[in-house]
Amino acid sequence: MLDIAGLGSKIGETIELSGWAYNFRSSGSIFFLQLRDGTARVQVVFNKADVSEESWTVLEQLGMEASVTVTGVVKSEPRAPSGIELHGISCVLIAAPAAEFPISKKEHGTDFLMDNRHLWLRSSRQEAILRVRNEIAFALREFFYHKNFVLTDSPIFTPNACESTSELFEVKYFDDVAYLTQSGQLYLEATSSALKRTYCFGPTFRSEKSKTRRHLTEFWMLEAEASFMDQIENMALQEEMVVFVVKRVLERRADDLKTLERDTAPLQKVAEGNFPRIRYTDAIKQLQDLGSDIKDGDDLGADDETVLTKQYDRPIFITHYPVAVKSFYMKPDPADPRFVLNADMLAPEGYGEVIGGSQRIDDLALLEERIKQHGLPREAFEWYLDIRRFGSVPHAGFGIGLERTVAWVCGLEHIRETIPFPRLLNRLNP
Ligand code: 4AD
Ligand code: MG
């Protein structure tokens, strides 16, 4: 079946299209139908004199989101956004709407739109966001494939925490309990000892009681891990990846960025690379100079990240966080073990953290000590300790949150629009 997006090469031809009526108006003997088929939108102009009585009746009785099959001649129309219009010959109804479509042109509140998310997805803006999401996910996979990383999927049911024991979703697992994964990292460390470079890309879960514009309880994360990679190389890899992804979106999703009214100048800057690397301690000083009351030793909050990123025209790496604010597996800096060999990548324009990564502890005794200090159940981590028992090597990796990346690249206010069906603190429906 023909797509509206493919009409450009059909000028002058008579074609058949199926889709949904997302808008229409009539001026007596002319009927203007706005048709969408999920690939693009086009206006079909019908003259009463040129169409059968049956078709005209279908048009006159049309409701919003009726599904139809239209036959028409493709015309070039410089005034149309796509440069194309259809001269309608016939319109056949597939299914009439059973009720009035709840989403209209008027302003709706966020709660209403979220309750009707399954229908809201049909709007041009939501379509554009999901196409950008697809492009980013595909670009990420392509990037890692060409870098010789092997996709090794991590489990979703897990026996233990990876990031923080307070943010676990517990589920019944026969006569036992399991936790929904917060991160596939620990398993990637095992697979990267088997295959050198590995990645996983799947849903992860955090029962964070955060009601913010950057938190979901279920989000997708691409995580990469490589044996013999240090933290410097880890950051270089992340930078190359982000540049690749942003360039790809600029090249292939220009129309969608336009629909979203995304200013692409800041994204062009990102494509230049050269992301600054700033030590945590310097970032704290900079924040204090900017008026923040953050204290040395504190983790950066979302507001701090926003303030900081607004000082730069491209993503920044904040490196060397204090041991106390980061996860148990991060390797202390041999030059100053109060800090870890890690980096968070903060996206510009106030978006903040999109990537968390680090070099991992490769010393068995130190890792055992950290597991104890963090109050983690030792038995559940025996297999993870085995990675250090049998040919331990320096290794590093990171995780990039897909939805935060989509929110940033699309220039969105809130993360809830970046995933078809967002799961939030107060939302599990639809
Ligand atoms: O910084 P985080 O917690 O890092 C990890 O999970 C590591 N184990 C990754 C690794 O080294 N393999 O999470 C990584 C990224 C964040 O930077 C953010 O983009 C995203 O995951 N993220 C969230 N996205 C949406 N909602 C949430 N609640 C998120 N929590 C983290
Ligand atoms: Mg983090």
Side-chain angles (χ1 to χ4, degrees):
M1 161 140 340
L2 203 57
D3 287 348
I4 294 178
L7 291 185
S9 60
K10 304 277 175 204
I11 306 235
E13 293 180 33
T14 302
I15 53 102
E16 191 181 275
L17 273 182
S18 292
W20 295 266
Y22 76 91
N23 210 354
F24 43 81
R25 68 192 161 84
S26 134
S27 67
S29 59
I30 307 184
F31 194 95
F32 300 92
L33 167 64
Q34 316 288 332
L35 192 71
R36 58 167 198 90
D37 74 346
T39 69
R41 286 155 194 254
V42 71
Q43 172 162 274
V44 195
V45 183
F46 294 90
N47 274 309
K48 188 172 181 182
D50 299 344
V51 302
S52 68
E53 214 167 291
E54 288 94 321
S55 285
W56 194 253
T57 310
V58 167
L59 291 170
E60 280 184 320
Q61 295 176 355
L62 219 50
M64 272 266 280
E65 290 299 314
S67 47
V68 293
T69 298
V70 157
T71 311
V73 182
V74 185
K75 296 253 154 94
S76 119
E77 171 49 73
R79 283 168 302 176
S82 62
I84 281 168
E85 197 173 78
L86 227 60
H87 179 81
I89 297 170
S90 77
C91 181
V92 176
L93 187 67
I94 302 172
E100 197 177 326
F101 194 65
I103 301 174
S104 61
K105 287 265 169 262
K106 71 170 202 271
E107 283 281 316
H108 293 289
T110 303
D111 274 342
F112 177 84
L113 289 171
M114 290 293 279
D115 287 341
N116 288 286
R117 182 67 179 160
H118 52 296
L119 302 176
W120 186 24
L121 290 173
R122 302 181 186 194
S123 75
S124 55
R125 199 183 137 77
Q126 301 305 318
E127 256 181 52
I129 295 168
L130 293 184
R131 271 195 292 268
V132 172
R133 179 186 168 102
N134 174 52
E135 201 67 57
I136 293 175
F138 185 72
L140 284 169
R141 290 195 168 98
E142 190 179 322
F143 179 82
F144 284 102
Y145 183 84
H146 290 296
K147 286 274 172 198
N148 293 319
F149 279 68
V150 178
L151 177 70
T152 59
D153 301 307
S154 292
I156 287 174
F157 285 136
T158 61
N160 53 272
C162 175
E163 288 304 317
S164 149
T165 45
S166 61
E167 294 165 3
L168 285 169
F169 279 112
E170 202 177 292
V171 291
K172 209 169 145 305
Y173 195 77
F174 304 108
D175 294 331
D176 207 343
V177 294
Y179 305 101
L180 298 182
T181 186
Q182 297 171 304
S183 157
Q185 178 196 322
L186 307 187
Y187 295 96
L188 277 187
E189 289 185 54
T191 60
S192 70
S193 282
L195 294 148
K196 188 167 182 178
R197 296 180 205 91
T198 54
Y199 76 101
C200 62
F201 195 5
T204 46
F205 306 85
R206 309 248 170 124
S207 71
E208 282 172 295
K209 292 240 162 64
S210 313
K211 211 176 148 188
T212 75
R213 60 189 187 87
R214 24 177 113 159
H215 286 92
L216 292 165
T217 54
E218 175 179 325
F219 63 96
W220 282 65
M221 177 155 57
L222 184 145
E223 296 180 84
E225 195 75 26
S227 297
F228 312 106
M229 178 166 78
D230 66 17
Q231 180 52 16
I232 305 282
E233 295 165 315
N234 193 15
M235 286 188 283
L237 179 68
Q238 292 165 43
E239 179 173 318
E240 194 182 337
M241 171 191 76
V242 168
V243 167
F244 179 83
V245 167
V246 167
K247 274 190 180 158
R248 178 56 71 78
V249 173
L250 286 170
E251 276 163 29
R252 298 195 181 172
R253 299 270 58 95
D255 285 354
D256 291 319
L257 294 177
K258 207 159 137 196
T259 301
L260 296 166
E261 295 172 2
R262 175 62 159 122
D263 177 7
T264 53
L267 298 177
Q268 303 286 355
K269 273 279 161 212
V270 177
E272 291 172 10
N274 284 320
F275 303 171
R277 276 96 167 132
I278 304 156
R279 291 182 78 100
Y280 162 89
T281 312
D282 296 327
I284 295 292
K285 286 197 203 102
Q286 200 180 341
L287 278 167
Q288 288 168 340
D289 290 344
L290 289 163
S292 165
D293 55 10
I294 194 165
K295 286 182 283 302
D296 203 10
D298 288 353
D299 198 1
L300 300 192
D303 293 343
D304 299 309
E305 290 182 359
T306 298
V307 169
L308 203 56
T309 61
K310 289 203 166 148
Q311 309 299 309
Y312 299 88
D313 65 359
R314 58 198 78 200
I316 54 178
F317 287 105
I318 308 296
T319 72
H320 301 88
Y321 279 67
V323 171
V325 301
K326 286 294 179 186
S327 302
F328 75 96
Y329 52 71
M330 291 191 183
K331 186 180 171 79
D333 181 2
D336 187 346
R338 292 174 302 161
F339 302 98
V340 284
L341 295 176
N342 85 312
D344 280 355
M345 186 194 286
L346 312 186
E349 302 172 83
Y351 280 92
E353 184 192 335
V354 287
I355 297 181
S358 68
Q359 195 165 330
R360 324 302 191 188
I361 292 175
D362 45 30
D363 180 77
L364 177 62
L366 179 59
L367 190 57
E368 286 174 321
E369 190 185 312
R370 282 282 193 274
I371 287 172
K372 205 160 149 195
Q373 280 169 354
H374 282 254
L376 297 167
R378 166 74 188 245
E379 329 72 67
F381 286 88
E382 283 302 335
W383 69 269
Y384 183 64
L385 290 165
D386 270 353
I387 303 167
R388 280 73 184 169
R389 287 193 186 103
F390 303 105
S392 189
V393 296
H395 62 289
F398 66 89
I400 176 167
L402 178 61
E403 290 77 15
R404 288 202 191 165
T405 306
V406 173
W408 160 46
V409 171
C410 290
L412 308 180
E413 271 298 311
H414 199 290
I415 200 165
R416 64 183 159 232
E417 288 180 65
T418 61
I419 182 164
F421 296 98
R423 298 291 173 244
L424 300 157
L425 179 57
N426 55 1
R427 181 164 295 277
L428 190 57
N429 278 307

